């Protein structure tokens, strides 16, 4: 602001000297009054702001001010517009003032992933590619932007964004990894506000809530609303005590001798592993999926999942688990999704009993993971407690054609119920994410669009369970959208041509609609070439980087938040292909010519279906069910 004061003082001195040189020479220490000053145009500062003399004179002396940035102040100039500009300033001049550019989120490095988490390593192990990111997108304008908390905030990978906003404003404010539903009104802009509302008031008992916003939201979803800080979180042993029953000690010894109790078997036994976590099972059949999150320590050579991403996965799992209701109050009900008993957040080191189980598994199966004994005391974990669904399709041995067609039918029916209930798309239903178990009892109630479904005995000889919703898309109970942007994982679409799973990812991507969006990106400015000076030292290692500027660019991107149920039909095509080419033949399922014709016809037609809700009516399933 000093430049503005000096500018007006110099102008005043020139004017006074021209009017009365003798008077000004005698009284050159007296500043002229406001009435004596002549009207002057506003001055434009180096920052681009235009200010008038009246506004500059209204400020106190610089020595009386606190050390602040004066160029960020805006005073009312009295012209009624409250903008601080002189009333004589034209609209064009005001438009010349540069507005601050939107801040864009930094790009995200891709992380590795493995195809299955709950099962032993597959015979054909997929390569570790990069992991796409999940988001939860509220449906109304009261949604929130992701927190910038201490855990994982340096590299944001998932966020909670407001929906129904303009293309330019939304894409400029968030990276393409969290793409909201786009509004038709391109001028409507929704500003981010408070992230996710807490279920309880953290201040009502006088204790401040010091938790990261995403962690607080996850705790609310997990019914752990009483936690006010990370020190209040339970340990991994506390979670095991809450859900795993204590095994009875085994008596040893014979007749005539005093019996003594042998060491009790482990409460949890490891049954599988994945890139980001371990899977254990208790004596009652519950499976515990333990995933570290939000920390800085690498896990199996990969960065940990952020808290927001685990929250999105928890929301999808809990939402689908509710579909297995009593069939009386819901329009869509089915027992074919993994029942999630609970999701818990815990803190601390890995439990010693689980480390011992990890070592046992390593001796028997040669684990691909690092022994999880390196986590710090403040490490966070998400524990998913789910029902055991049986053996995955990859390792299951079909005993008859009836079992094979029952699996395909139940998978179609499950996806159709999910589509109708919550616009569900699995988007990663490979043969490691479909579990099969013998149907010891009735399958349970099934409702399709409010109509009870009766399944014939031949189609209920086994029970299917869909698992692993890391890449899934679903509408949450409050109307939001939880989805995963697979554009963050370009390697997912680079599999070999002719491989059914790789081709399915590519077909699915092609089905997702393209959107034209505007993004703020940093680009390097082109500098004029200058002649190098001979006296410049060649051994000088300091190189000046070219300056960068932010500009608006247009991109065509896939909007993975959109509901495209044809992706479910594409995965049904993949499943029937697996049954025909991977599970049949010598040593596998024996198919006659008529059965092969039925399966081949369903595989061909599934590529043309717009949803699983259409596929469930395919002629291959004729006679297996009725409403």
């Amino acid at each position: 602001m000093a430049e503005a004061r000096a500018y007006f003082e110099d102008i005043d001195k020139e004017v006074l000297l021209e009017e009365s040189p003798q008077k000004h020479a005698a009284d050159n220490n007296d500043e002229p009054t406001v009435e004596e000053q002549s009207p002057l145009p506003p001055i434009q500062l180096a920052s681009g702001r235009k200010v008038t003399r009246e506004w500059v004179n209204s400020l106190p002396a610089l020595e009386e001010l606190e050390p602040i940035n004066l160029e960020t102040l805006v005073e009312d100039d009295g012209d009624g517009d409250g903008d601080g500009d002189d009333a004589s300033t034209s609209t064009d001049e005001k438009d010349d003032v540069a507005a601050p550019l939107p801040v864009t989120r930094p790009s995200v490095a891709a992380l590795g992933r493995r195809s299955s988490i709950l099962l032993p390593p597959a015979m054909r192990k997929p390569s570790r590619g990069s992991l796409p990111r999940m988001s939860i997108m509220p449906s109304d304008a009261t949604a929130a932007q992701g927190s910038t908390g201490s855990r994982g905030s340096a590299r944001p990978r998932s966020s909670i964004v407001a929906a129904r906003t303009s293309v330019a404003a939304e894409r400029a404010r968030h990276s393409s990894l969290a793409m909201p539903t786009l509004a038709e009104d391109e001028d409507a802009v929704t500003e981010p506000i408070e992230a996710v509302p807490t279920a309880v008031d953290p201040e009502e008992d006088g204790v401040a809530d010091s938790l990261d916003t995403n962690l607080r939201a996850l705790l609310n979803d997990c019914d752990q609303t009483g936690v006010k800080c990370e020190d209040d979180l339970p340990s991994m042993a506390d979670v095991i005590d809450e859900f795993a029953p204590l095994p009875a000690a085994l008596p040893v010894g014979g007749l005539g001798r005093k019996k003594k109790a042998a060491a009790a078997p482990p409460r949890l036994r490891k049954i599988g592993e994945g890139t980001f976590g371990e899977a254990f099972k208790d004596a009652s059949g519950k499976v515990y999926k333990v995933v570290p999150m939000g920390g800085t320590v690498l896990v199996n050579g990969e960065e940990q999942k952020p808290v927001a991403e685990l929250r999105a996965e928890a929301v999808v799992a809990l939402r689908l688990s509710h579909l297995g209701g009593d069939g009386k109050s819901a329009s869509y009900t089915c027992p074919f999704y993994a029942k999630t008993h609970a999701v818990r957040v815990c803190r601390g080191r890995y439990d010693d009993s689980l480390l011992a189980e990890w070592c046992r598994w390593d001796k028997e199966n040669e684990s691909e993971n690092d022994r999880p004994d390196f986590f710090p005391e403040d490490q966070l974990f998400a524990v998913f407690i789910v029902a055991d669904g049986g053996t995955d399709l990859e390792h299951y041995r079909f005993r008859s054609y009836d079992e094979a067609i029952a699996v395909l039918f139940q998978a179609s029916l499950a996806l159709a119920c999910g589509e109708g209930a919550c616009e569900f798309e699995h988007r990663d239903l490979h043969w490691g994410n479909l579990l099969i178990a013998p149907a010891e009892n009735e399958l349970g109630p099934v409702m399709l669009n409010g109509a009870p479904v009766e399944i014939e005995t031949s189609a209920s000889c086994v029970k299917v369970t869909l698992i692993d919703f890391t890449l899934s898309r679903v509408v949450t109970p409050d109307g939001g959208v939880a989805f995963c942007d697979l554009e963050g994982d370009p390697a997912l679409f680079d599999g070999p041509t002719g491989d059914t799973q790789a081709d399915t990812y590519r077909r699915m991507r092609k089905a997702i609609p393209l959107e034209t969006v505007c993004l703020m990106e940093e680009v390097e400015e082109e500098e004029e070439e200058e002649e190098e000076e001979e006296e410049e030292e060649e051994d000088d290692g300091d190189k000046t980087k070219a300056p960068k500027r932010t500009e608006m660019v247009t991109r065509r991107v896939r909007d993975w938040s959109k509901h495209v149920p044809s992706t479910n039909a594409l995965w049904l095509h993949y499943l029937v292909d697996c049954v025909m080419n991977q599970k049949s033949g010598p040593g596998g399922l024996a198919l006659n010519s008529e059965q092969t014709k039925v399966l081949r016809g369903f595989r061909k037609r599934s590529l043309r279906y717009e949803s699983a809700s259409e596929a469930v009516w395919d002629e291959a399933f004729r006679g297996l069910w009725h409403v």
Side-chain angles (χ1 to χ4, degrees), residues 357-368:
E357 270 301 298
W358 190 96
C359 293
R360 179 197 62 80
W361 168 273
D362 184 39
K363 291 180 180 179
E364 298 176 1
N365 301 277
E366 296 184 0
S367 175
E368 294 183 357

Side-chain angles (χ1 to χ4, degrees), residues 328-355:
K328 297 179 181 179
S329 59
S331 298
Y332 293 90
T333 303
C334 73
F336 305 126
Y337 290 99
K339 178 177 176 54
T340 302
H341 296 285
V343 181
R344 288 290 182 268
V345 178
C346 59
R347 181 174 182 261
R349 294 185 179 275
Y350 227 82
D351 184 72
D352 290 339
S353 64
L354 300 189
L355 288 176

Side-chain angles (χ1 to χ4, degrees), residues 603-624:
R603 180 178 62 179
K604 182 178 181 180
R605 291 185 296 272
S606 61
L607 289 176
R608 300 196 298 263
Y609 287 134
E610 294 296 326
S611 65
S613 299
E614 291 185 21
V616 77
W617 296 95
D618 189 87
E619 62 184 64
F621 306 137
R622 186 177 301 164
L624 298 182

Side-chain angles (χ1 to χ4, degrees), residues 6 37 68 170-171 257 263-265 391 478 537 559 596:
Q37 295 173 350
I68 60 176
E170 191 60 54
R171 302 302 184 180
R257 291 184 297 175
T391 306
D478 60 357
E537 297 181 1
D559 189 352
T596 301

Side-chain angles (χ1 to χ4, degrees), residues 65-222:
L65 294 174
E66 296 292 336
I68 60 176
N69 185 4
L70 293 177
E71 294 185 5
T72 62
L73 296 176
V74 177
E75 294 288 340
D76 190 359
D77 55 6
D79 60 359
D81 59 3
D83 59 1
D85 292 327
D86 189 88
S88 61
T89 305
S90 65
T91 304
D92 294 337
E93 291 174 336
K94 293 181 180 180
D95 291 341
D96 292 338
V97 180
L101 292 173
V103 179
T104 56
R105 199 169 62 174
S107 60
V108 180
L111 303 184
R113 61 181 293 271
R114 192 177 301 162
S115 62
S116 179
I117 177 67
L118 294 180
L119 302 165
M123 292 181 290
R124 184 184 63 181
K125 298 181 177 62
S127 60
R128 294 188 178 183
S130 55
L131 181 71
R133 301 299 163 202
M134 295 195 75
S135 304
I136 298 180
M137 183 181 69
S139 60
D140 54 12
T142 62
Q145 194 175 7
S147 169
T148 56
S150 59
R151 290 187 175 273
S153 60
R155 299 183 65 167
R157 290 169 280 193
S158 179
S159 64
I160 300 176
V161 299
R164 311 298 179 189
T165 60
S166 71
V167 175
E170 191 60 54
R171 302 302 184 180
R173 190 162 62 247
H174 303 284
S175 78
S176 61
L177 295 182
M179 296 187 293
T181 303
L182 305 179
E184 295 181 359
D185 183 6
E186 297 294 325
D187 296 326
V189 178
T190 303
E191 293 298 331
I193 58 173
E194 204 53 44
V196 177
T198 56
V200 294
D201 184 2
E203 301 291 347
E204 63 183 4
D205 58 357
V207 180
D209 191 334
S210 61
L211 295 173
D212 169 83
T213 304
N214 288 319
L215 181 57
R216 163 52 58 200
L218 176 58
L219 290 171
N220 290 342
D221 295 330
C222 299

